[in-house]
Amino acid sequence: MSSKGKDVAEGSSSRSSAAADHHHQQQQQQQPLSRYESQKRRDWNTFGQYLRNQRPPVALSQCNSSHILDFLRYLDQFGKTKVHLQGCLFFGQAEPPGPCTCPLRQAWGSLDALIGRLRAAYEENGGLPETNPFASGAIRIYLREVRDSQAKARGIPYKKKKKKKRNLIKTVNNGDSSNLPMQ
């Protein structure tokens, strides 16, 4: 019996399933991507292009944290954040009174968000979480060093945001249960 006859004999469930998957993919393609998804795709493509432009080109499967660190340093040339060097008169000043020759760099927050998007894209494109080079300790250390050095250069200490405490509904309200949600 041919595979076509087999599909008919079995009620062609695999064919209808494939058609449903194709229809679902078409619907996803028709809906515009969110800003985050668009940025994630653009970042992933940019990183892939960066790896292909290396001499010799680097396959994604061979990519490690040193390639990612090189990519982050490469991006600094496109940065818009003035980071004062230690010898600069304005080092440690949040609002410098005049111009200086210190370099422009990528802001720490931009790099941190970029790594988060690339980390997610890596896994969405078939990479295993256990081998995700964007989640390596070397990347976390680099980001921490960038954050700290930029904070010192601007004279602003980095303060970690505190998690908001959720207000829990009190189950006992003087015996009155009128504030409890209906079930």
Side-chain angles (χ1 to χ4, degrees), residues 62-75:
Q62 301 302 309
C63 172
N64 60 38
S65 60
S66 63
H67 297 109
I68 297 166
L69 292 173
D70 289 343
F71 177 65
L72 295 177
R73 291 183 194 107
Y74 158 79
L75 291 177

Side-chain angles (χ1 to χ4, degrees), residues 2-168:
S2 71
S3 65
K4 188 174 183 180
K6 188 176 178 186
D7 284 347
V8 171
E10 293 178 0
S12 67
S13 62
S14 63
R15 185 179 290 167
S16 61
S17 175
D21 287 345
H22 180 71
H23 179 72
H24 181 69
Q25 286 173 344
Q26 280 183 324
Q27 279 184 326
Q28 284 182 330
Q29 290 170 352
Q30 290 170 354
Q31 294 173 348
L33 294 174
S34 69
R35 185 169 180 243
Y36 170 79
E37 291 297 329
S38 297
Q39 187 66 53
K40 183 169 56 173
R41 179 182 289 177
R42 191 167 35 251
D43 293 340
W44 184 248
N45 291 336
T46 301
F47 182 69
Q49 187 66 47
Y50 173 82
L51 290 178
R52 286 189 295 278
N53 289 341
Q54 298 305 295
R55 294 291 166 240
V58 178
L60 189 60
S61 60
Q62 301 302 309
C63 172
N64 60 38
S65 60
S66 63
H67 297 109
I68 297 166
L69 292 173
D70 289 343
F71 177 65
L72 295 177
R73 291 183 194 107
Y74 158 79
L75 291 177
D76 267 341
Q77 67 184 308
F78 308 109
K80 297 175 186 158
T81 300
K82 178 73 77 170
V83 180
H84 299 288
L85 303 173
Q86 281 198 306
C88 177
L89 294 172
F90 304 135
F91 182 81
Q93 293 185 31
E95 303 286 335
C100 68
T101 60
C102 290
L104 293 173
R105 299 261 165 83
Q106 289 289 336
W108 164 76
S110 299
L111 294 176
D112 189 50
L114 170 67
I115 289 299
R117 290 189 299 269
L118 289 172
R119 186 176 180 175
Y122 178 85
E123 293 175 17
E124 287 173 12
N125 285 280
L128 298 173
E130 307 83 54
T131 61
N132 191 333
F134 298 97
S136 77
I139 303 301
R140 284 194 302 275
I141 290 168
Y142 176 79
L143 289 174
R144 187 178 320 126
E145 288 172 353
V146 168
R147 180 193 72 201
D148 294 347
S149 70
Q150 289 185 4
K152 279 182 189 170
R154 293 176 56 221
I156 301 170
Y158 172 76
K159 293 178 185 145
K160 191 170 185 176
K161 292 180 182 174
K162 294 181 181 177
K163 292 183 180 177
K164 293 181 181 177
K165 293 181 182 177
R166 292 183 174 193
N167 291 332
L168 300 174

